[in-house]
Amino acid sequence: MKWVPVLCLAGCTLAPVNSTSHWSIEPVSHYDSGYTKGTEIVSVQQSTLRAVLSNFESGEVDVLDVSHPQRLRRKARFNLKLSQGEELTSVAFHPSLDLFAAVIDAGNRPGRLEIRSATTGLLVDRIVIGFGSDAVVFSADGKLAMIANEGEDFLFEPSSKQFFTPEGSVSIVRLSQSGHIVSHKNLELANMTNQEGFVITEGGRFLEREIDWNGDGIISKRMDFDGNGVIENKKVTLGYFEGHDVFGTETKGEKKIFIPIKNRSPALLEPEYIAITPDSKKAYVTLQENNAVAVVDLVNEQVISYYGLGVTEHKTDARYDGWINFDDSMAGLREPDGITTVGNGRYFVTADEGDSDSDISMPMDGQPTGGGRSVSVFDAATGVLLGDTGNQLDEFAFANKVYPELRSNKKGSEPEMLVAFDLDGIPYVAVGMERAGAVELISLADPVHPKVVALGKISGDEDKSPEGIAHFVVDGEHYLLTANEMNGTVECFKIVRQGAD
């Protein structure tokens, strides 16, 4: 196993550590979309206190009035009229214009970016981008949009028994002052098989993917893969991907086909999310399945570096056995989903959710598993790790009675997306905890020792799965929105000062 070096930089604090304020996260309102699920991404335009909300189930975008956080109100709903096989994957509000961006994944065809009016929903401009189009973000000046094209769909060719997937990419779209598309460039990603600084694991890691293996246009939850007339709880080799076996379990069917991760070829580089620096000169792109971040030079429109994110080691509850004890040692590949920048772009921060599955039963025994169960802080100029939260996220969830013990032997509470902002001049990030149904607040006063300081629970007893998260300010008060994809809602939280020491 090869480890990425850890460097703790002296004098790297962002603000004085001796803050006397305590904070809590309190729910203040709840928006119900009217759908049972699908509310995935939320984005706020601070200047007008409006938000756009995507629904992947209905293909609709809601525009919300958030000027009165205690009573979120829908101003409009726009149906994007997607074609069969298309999915709305992301939205973003332009920072100043009456426009929002919507990204549509077109399955086995390249996706597209649409620029639409936030008042009427009418199409202003659009352009074809990469395969598996997913997250979209605007730069702070509104002059460009970036899209992470995951390219994560797999196809199966029965005659050769080969699995194929399009390569992921990153799109840079430049906009005019009116928000029309001026130029577009798709950045390809390099082969990182022999890249230095990356963790090399023994044994195997796998991606779980839904794949139409038999070509009937349906993803079956159970399937007689070997054709013996009986569906059994056994693994069956289904074909090959880049020379390695692909297998499935008959009781899971086409819902969970396991793709081996044996190298870092472009076919397995799947951009997940993007953080653009405040000066719009660089961007940082998470490559979740490869435990890496790509650095993009936005001036010259090229990928200039890749950072391997290494392994986090800490105690965890790694057993689903009816007891919660954070005393198992684990080593986790971070495999981040969300990413943001702080300190005016000096650092980037990752939400280490994890995506791959290993061939070990629990995240122990010295071999890294997928997912760090942490939030990590890196020096943006070098990619050097400053510090991470260790097991604070899960322990804080447990202390607040929302820890998902069912997920102990998998990835715990799963930090998903995060957003950065300052409170009293001190940087914080808020992170959505997908499996815990909560949001946690982390102080970065000392980036070497990020500290979880508060948790807000999303209302309701059903699955919530917060995906998108946004921050906004009303009359000097700070608020958070979470888009909860499994129950069709948005939760609004207020960050409340609790007083002094």
Side-chain angles (χ1 to χ4, degrees), residues 4-5 307-309 348 378-385:
V4 173
Y307 295 149
L309 301 184
F348 66 81
F378 295 85
D379 184 284
T382 63
V384 169
L385 173 70

Side-chain angles (χ1 to χ4, degrees), residues 319-339:
R319 308 168 189 270
Y320 173 41
D321 57 4
W323 298 90
I324 300 176
N325 297 300
F326 296 104
D327 55 8
D328 295 315
S329 297
M330 70 160 277
L333 298 170
R334 289 183 166 83
E335 295 185 349
D337 187 340
I339 185 170

